Amino acid sequence: MSRLGAVRTASGGTLRHTVQAVVIAVVLLISTASATLGLALIAASNGPFNHAFAAQHGADIAVSVNSARATSAELAATRTLRGVTAAAGPFAEATVQAQSGGQPFGFGQLTLAGRAAPGGPVDDIVLSAGHWPDGKGQVVLDTGPQGVGTAGGMVPTGTVLSVTGVPGTPTLTVVGLANSVTSTADGWVTPSEIAALQAPGTPGVEQMLYDFASAGGYAQIRDDVAAVSRALPAGAVAGAGSWLTAQGQEEANGAIMEPFVLAFALIGLVMAVLIVANVVSGAVVAGYHRIGVLKSIGLTPAQVVAVYLGRIGWPALAGCLAGVAAGNVLAIPVLQDSARAYGVGSQHVPLWASVVAPAGMLALTLLAALGPALRAGRLSAAEAIAAGRAPRTGRGYAAHRLAARLNLPRPVGLGLAAPFARPARTLVTLAAIAFGATAVIFAFGLSSSLNRAAEATSLSATVPVQVQQFGPGPVSVAIGQNGPAGPTAAQDAAVTAALRGQPGTLHEVAVYGSSVKVLGITQRVDAEAFGGDAAWTGYGLIAGRWSDAPGDVEVNTSFLDASGLSIGDTTTVNTGTRQVTVRIVGEVFRPSQDPHIFGSTRTLPGIASGQNLEQWDVGLRPGTSVAAYDQAVNSALGSQNPWAATPAQGGGNFYTLAIGLIGLLALMVAIAAGLGVLNTVLMTTRDRVHDLGVFKVLGMRPGQMLTMVTCWIVGPAVVAAVIAAPAAIALNKATLDAMASTAHTGVPASFTQVFPPARLALLSLAALAIAVAGALLPASWAARARPATALRAE
């Protein structure tokens, strides 16, 4: 037969097996889309800050300058300083207190910069929603990981903010959301707006942004800031922030993301690879009969291989091309969430991912088909026909006899025994179901684990309300500038009285924060001291216990790593006023590369000062409304008290992104698994079409036929469920351990204990659901087919 004839034969085979071709195309579509999304996420997690910093021309240094002490000419002259490679500004600054709906907004104080446009030689700002301010009373908010645009959830455009402490109480309407990779401001307005936002009596401040040839470390940053300070009049530089601060913040937010992205993306890719290989191998085996017929009419072994690779390759190519397009569409919202979680402006699917994913999946498909096709090419025509149309003699008879002895309904017995006639195909089906069920169970477990981690990080489940300082009056407008005095002792006492006077208050505790020195740790240690019982706050305990007894402290994993100490050991802490010996009684879940220590104010004396008072954590009685409670407390405090009650913030962008992504990938794998089942049952139905016709002639009703065909897959599904449950548990623990290791923390046992027996048994039914869903279509065809049609189809 000529090559053209072989091509025509391959095309004809594809058209005559439409359902199988569609299955292959859809499985490849899902697998390629998953691969594209996975590769995009892997690329996004590989140094996202550095990529965004280069793309957005991030500022090495943001300098705040007292405009009364430096002229515009003097600021312009700093652009040509030795080592400066680019500069932008000056941009007028104002720090304001904003409210939305009568409540303190975001983090209270907002530093706003006046910029006419988002672009420039330094610090290109990326708009993610709305437009840049082009008129009076408009503001664009920052959406970085700590930006006010994402405080308590994404702030919608159109939100109206009232600026307090300024004559006329001006309002600002949020017209856009944007990101500065180096967080140079909390928001941006038009340059002419700044004057109306300046509190009376506060000096003007202008912001200059610089890039330097050498700014890779804190020592170089200090030298660069010193050079700018020397070029300006004494006292002109009020403060400076560096890109290293933003990078450290990004690493803290993004560190826990990388293992999850790598783990689940690779898991999805591996499962997709195996499912594709299983489906294609089954399709090759199903084609042996046709290949045998073609060989009998003169096709050479090489033409047989070419025919079958063509039959598999065309639907596979269509699926891969559609899959890479679908993967790019799916990646748009996921990468937008990823960019917010990492605190960068934007992320895109790299070109290489859109090439590697379809090319790799297509190559995998052809390789999976090549082995069986080569074997078919070597077989004689008679052997190929026999291999494709009938099981080996004797296979499955023992299973049928056993099913008959169990006194099962005949359709059920026939269905349960059928898989033993095709053990290789049954194993393929079992693997597909097991992978799909593992993905579903793993997705549920990892989502539950991350929800618990989010609650332990934010304490939102146990601390629904926090009282924080916002301040109603004018505030400092420059880094390093002395602002108004902090809250008075009377105002602090008023908070305690207001909380204790509310009937909904179940617990309340003051939280003080400072840094201390610990013997054996060279860096300073972040300390949190509680002014009362804090056991109820719900910090996740990795090991040990929580205790407020004098002399007992809890620490995070980084503290233990840095000090080399263990639970039960003692160490010496210098709080700045006293040196005390403390005993470590617990390891707390606090993901951070910086060491943290927690204790009572009795254990850490000297920290409980007014200037160190950070907030009050509040626990509510069951049934108490958070919104009503906040309103009652704020009414009791009055508008002049700088403290205000607000709902506790959630776990952050990372957890939202991760949990959503888990569900998406699990759904894709489960669909691919269901299609694998459909393909297998379809092949089995075709193999046994004569038997089905005979059964119908003998009186088997459509309902009995549907039951029998469905039962073909029930046995493998039950075995797959038994395999999937422990595999998902192990996978969940391994992924959490990898994430925790990167985030410099251990994992509390409660995070992994998300599979109680009853829940695990229920989740294991996912295997049966995937199997039945995949089998229903061919089973329905078999049930509806007339006996004559089934016998002619053979």
Side-chain angles (χ1 to χ4, degrees), residues 461-546:
T462 51
V463 184
V465 172
Q466 293 176 332
V467 179
Q468 298 176 328
Q469 181 183 349
F470 292 98
V475 295
S476 170
V477 295
I479 303 173
Q481 183 180 352
N482 293 325
T488 65
Q491 291 170 328
D492 296 344
V495 174
T496 302
L499 295 177
R500 294 178 179 176
Q502 294 299 319
T505 303
L506 180 63
H507 301 287
E508 53 85 17
V509 63
V511 183
Y512 301 85
S514 184
S515 59
V516 297
K517 291 293 293 181
V518 177
L519 188 64
I521 300 180
T522 55
Q523 67 192 102
R524 296 193 68 83
V525 175
D526 293 327
E528 289 187 22
F530 302 95
D533 175 27
W536 60 271
T537 51
Y539 282 87
L541 279 173
I542 300 167
R545 58 187 173 84
W546 186 277

Side-chain angles (χ1 to χ4, degrees), residues 49 52-54 56-63 86-88 91 115 121-124 180-184 207-212 215 221 241-247:
F49 180 85
F53 186 85
Q56 295 176 228
H57 310 291
D60 288 336
I61 299 172
V63 177
F91 305 121
R115 289 184 61 161
V122 181
D123 190 33
D124 280 344
S180 163
V181 69
T182 41
S183 300
T184 55
Q207 180 189 79
M208 286 292 297
L209 307 177
Y210 300 96
D211 278 344
F212 284 84
I221 292 291
S242 81
W243 73 278
L244 293 173
T245 302
Q247 183 193 45

Side-chain angles (χ1 to χ4, degrees), residues 34-180:
S34 176
T36 304
L37 179 59
L39 291 173
L41 288 169
I42 290 173
S45 68
N46 181 23
F49 180 85
N50 293 333
H51 292 312
F53 186 85
Q56 295 176 228
H57 310 291
D60 288 336
I61 299 172
V63 177
S64 294
V65 179
N66 187 328
S67 55
R69 299 191 178 185
T71 65
S72 298
E74 289 170 330
L75 291 176
T78 61
R79 297 172 177 268
T80 60
L81 288 175
R82 182 178 180 182
V84 173
T85 58
F91 305 121
E93 272 189 6
T95 299
V96 302
Q97 169 63 35
Q99 293 185 349
S100 176
Q103 296 295 320
F105 173 78
F107 295 96
Q109 297 178 7
L110 308 183
T111 298
L112 304 178
R115 289 184 61 161
V122 181
D123 190 33
D124 280 344
I125 298 170
V126 178
L127 272 166
S128 58
H131 63 86
W132 195 254
D134 55 13
K136 181 178 175 58
Q138 298 180 358
V139 63
V140 165
L141 296 180
D142 179 39
T143 58
Q146 300 299 323
V148 295
T150 53
M154 187 64 67
V155 175
T157 56
T159 301
V160 177
L161 308 180
S162 298
V163 179
T164 60
V166 177
T169 313
T171 60
L172 296 172
T173 301
V174 179
V175 297
L177 302 173
N179 171 269
S180 163

Side-chain angles (χ1 to χ4, degrees), residues 515-516 573-580 604-609 612:
S515 59
V516 297
V573 178
N574 189 330
T575 64
T577 60
R578 285 180 57 187
Q579 187 165 292
V580 295
L604 302 174
I607 293 182
S609 63
N612 291 336

